[in-house]
Amino acid sequence: MKKPLIAGNWKMYMNCKEATQLVRTIKAGVYKFHDVITVICPPFTALTTVSDELKDSEIGLGAQNMHFETEGAYTGEISPPMLKEIGCRYVILGHSERRTHFKESDSFIQKKVKTALKYSLLPIVCVGETLQEREAGKHWEVVNRQIDQSLADISGDEITKVIIAYEPVWAIGTGKTATPEQAEEMHAFIRGVLSEKFGEETSSKLYILYGGSVKPDNIESLIEKPNVDGALVGGASLKAESFAQLVASSAASSKVGSAS
Ligand code: PGA
């Protein structure tokens, strides 16, 4: 039985002062929901501040990106041990905004996944097709390739630490959510792909999050789907009230203890 996982991706929003205020209000709003794994991913500059605020909390801290090397002459980059040092447990890798604006490829993302695991960071690996790809009927092929290549050379042990986030690019920040049926069929497909690679038992335990315009008014219909294990949330994670509501709704529809 899995606890639902709700992760907030703050993107390039929130200075330290705003982050402090936001995390304090989120803490007050979610502290009683022990059956939900709550994660927040602030921008790099606010990670230390938020980490300090989370010392006495069950909320997990994540970064939004990292380099795959431990250290070196990589101006402007942040390494996995640097993230570990300040209390990060999670790291978002291969977000579509990084694939699009910074030309990150699947093989580049794969290197990051490998190093994240080496440093005991739990990678949230993002996959998802563009609208053009979906309209051309290529969404299965695209997501299959992204899973295959970004998780190449990952062992059966390592995969148990990997979280997948299916985020159709056309649903991110657009207000157009995939229907619960569209999300479920892609999540089931992803689980099938993972099952072929790592076996059915392992695959059934893996977390597959949905991301793309998740809001308090659509979370329930998404999370009740059997293959949707949680959500990666952008816009709605920037307001404490809506983020706390997402956590509360997920707790209410939690599959923990159910027969599924
Ligand atoms: P959104 O972003 O919830 O604002 O659509 C999701 C994401 O980019 O992870």
Side-chain angles (χ1 to χ4, degrees):
M1 303 305 152
K2 280 179 233 161
K3 293 182 181 185
L5 193 161
I6 303 295
N9 172 11
W10 292 3
K11 306 196 178 185
M12 200 171 71
Y13 296 99
M14 298 291 142
N15 62 31
C16 287
K17 198 169 158 207
E18 293 163 337
T20 305
Q21 219 157 10
L22 180 57
V23 68
R24 284 184 184 166
T25 332
I26 288 176
K27 270 201 302 187
V30 308
Y31 76 94
K32 53 185 178 229
F33 300 112
H34 305 289
D35 278 343
V36 179
I37 302 171
T38 306
V39 178
I40 50 184
C41 305
F44 286 132
T45 48
L47 279 174
T48 311
T49 309
V50 174
S51 182
D52 288 343
E53 291 291 331
L54 292 181
K55 289 239 156 75
D56 55 350
S57 157
E58 283 176 30
I59 300 172
L61 182 67
Q64 298 171 18
N65 182 33
M66 54 161 231
H67 197 269
F68 56 80
E69 292 288 358
T70 306
E71 60 179 12
Y74 296 100
T75 303
E77 292 292 319
I78 305 279
S79 79
M82 290 171 182
L83 296 179
K84 278 299 279 189
E85 185 190 22
I86 55 166
C88 286
R89 179 163 163 72
Y90 300 84
V91 59
I92 299 172
L93 297 177
H95 189 281
S96 67
E97 285 151 16
R98 297 215 56 86
R99 291 175 185 264
T100 306
H101 304 306
F102 304 100
K103 307 286 172 257
E104 291 197 8
S105 65
D106 288 312
S107 60
F108 189 66
I109 295 159
Q110 187 268 353
K111 288 186 188 163
K112 296 185 185 204
V113 175
K114 278 303 260 189
T115 345
L117 294 167
K118 185 170 162 201
Y119 286 94
S120 305
L121 285 160
L122 306 176
I124 302 175
V125 181
C126 303
V127 297
E129 80 285 355
T130 61
L131 184 59
Q132 212 181 8
E133 287 162 341
R134 179 164 277 262
E135 284 175 349
K138 292 193 170 149
H139 43 304
W140 310 113
E141 180 189 326
V142 168
V143 170
N144 189 22
R145 190 207 64 227
Q146 290 172 336
I147 296 276
D148 195 52
Q149 297 183 5
S150 58
L151 299 180
D153 194 27
I154 299 294
S155 72
D157 267 356
E158 287 175 323
I159 193 68
T160 61
K161 308 285 192 302
V162 174
I163 297 156
I164 307 287
Y166 169 58
E167 299 205 306
V169 180
W170 47 272
I172 296 178
T174 58
K176 275 191 219 153
T177 330
T179 63
E181 292 68 33
Q182 283 173 321
E184 171 60 17
E185 72 175 352
M186 184 56 88
H187 282 225
F189 172 76
I190 293 171
R191 208 177 293 287
V193 171
L194 294 167
S195 174
E196 273 174 35
K197 286 177 172 299
F198 303 102
E200 205 180 319
E201 204 195 325
T202 300
S203 163
S204 69
K205 290 183 188 147
L206 300 180
Y207 272 88
I208 307 178
L209 312 180
Y210 170 78
S213 298
V214 174
K215 305 263 174 333
D217 63 4
N218 59 28
I219 184 78
E220 276 169 42
S221 57
L222 288 160
I223 202 114
E224 71 182 20
K225 293 291 176 195
N227 283 292
V228 178
D229 302 311
L232 180 56
V233 187
S237 73
L238 294 170
K239 291 199 183 85
E241 202 179 299
S242 56
F243 189 65
Q245 221 177 314
L246 293 175
V247 173
S249 300
S250 309
S253 19
S254 170
K255 293 154 198 158
V256 175
S258 79
S260 63

